[in-house]
Amino acid sequence: MLRRSGVPDGDQVRAQFPEEDVLQKPKAIIECYEEIPCNPCSTSCPFDAIAIPGDINVRPRIDFARCTGCGICVYQCPGLAITIMQIKDDKAVLKIPYEFAPLPKAGEWRTVLDRSGRALVKGRILKVVMTQKQDRTALVHVEVPKRYIYDAITIEVSER
Ligand code: SF4
Ligand code: SF4
C-alpha cells in the first residue's frame, strides 16, 4: 500500500507505536518508512532515544523508554515524519508539526484527518507552540477521542 499510494496501511502504522500503556506518557511516533540519507531526528534528540546505527540510510529506531516526548525531533525532522502521541483517559493528545499560515489558535476546533486526507472527527486545539529555535515549524497540540490514535495524523488547514 505504501509503495502504491504513499499511504501506509494499518499494520505499518501500528508497527511504529508502542503498547498503549506506554502512551500514558507522551512518546514520539516516527513514520519514516523509506531508507533515505537523513538523521536530524537522531542527532537532535537530547536523550539518545533515536538510533540510526551504522549507515545513515538505515531507518531510525526509537527507544520508547528513553523518549520523554519533548518534541524536539518533531520540528527537526525535515520530512515532518514524526508526531507525539499521549493517551489521557478516553482522549489522546496528538502533537503535530505544522507549517501553514495562519496558525490555528488554542480553543479552536479543527477537522482531524487520517493519512489519506479523510476527515475523521473535530479535534480541539489545546496549544500551539512556536519558538525561534523551531524555525517556523509549529507544534500543534490537538485533542482527539482515543479511538483515533492510529488514524489521526494532522488537521485540516482551514475549516470547511
Ligand atoms: S520526543 Fe524528545 S526525547 Fe522523544 S525521541 Fe524526540 S527528541 Fe528524543
Ligand atoms: S529526520 Fe525525519 S526524515 Fe530524517 S531520518 Fe529522521 S524521521 Fe526520517
Side-chain angles (χ1 to χ4, degrees), residues 20 52 57 66 90 108 111 124 146:
E20 287 192 12
I52 297 181
N57 291 290
R66 285 178 175 265
D90 62 342
E108 280 180 23
T111 302
R124 188 164 60 102
K146 181 187 161 203

Side-chain angles (χ1 to χ4, degrees), residues 44-105:
S44 67
C45 177
F47 303 99
D48 291 329
I50 302 177
I52 297 181
D55 182 342
I56 193 172
N57 291 290
V58 168
R59 293 174 53 207
R61 296 172 199 165
I62 184 163
D63 179 347
F64 288 111
R66 285 178 175 265
C67 175
T68 65
C70 70
I72 292 173
C73 59
V74 178
Y75 58 78
Q76 290 289 341
C77 170
L80 306 184
I82 308 176
T83 55
I84 304 288
M85 180 64 80
Q86 181 178 16
I87 293 172
K88 292 187 173 180
D89 300 320
D90 62 342
K91 303 236 179 347
V93 178
L94 171 67
K95 301 176 187 174
I96 58 169
Y98 192 87
E99 296 185 337
F100 295 101
L103 291 173
K105 293 187 175 63

Side-chain angles (χ1 to χ4, degrees), residues 30 32 36 38-42 52 60 76-79 81-82:
I30 304 178
C32 186
I36 53 171
C38 187
N39 68 1
C41 54
S42 176
I52 297 181
Q76 290 289 341
C77 170
I82 308 176

Side-chain angles (χ1 to χ4, degrees), residues 74-75 96-99 103 128-130 134 136-140:
V74 178
Y75 58 78
I96 58 169
Y98 192 87
E99 296 185 337
L103 291 173
V128 178
V129 180
M130 176 71 118
Q134 289 174 229
R136 293 167 289 175
T137 302
L139 272 190
V140 174

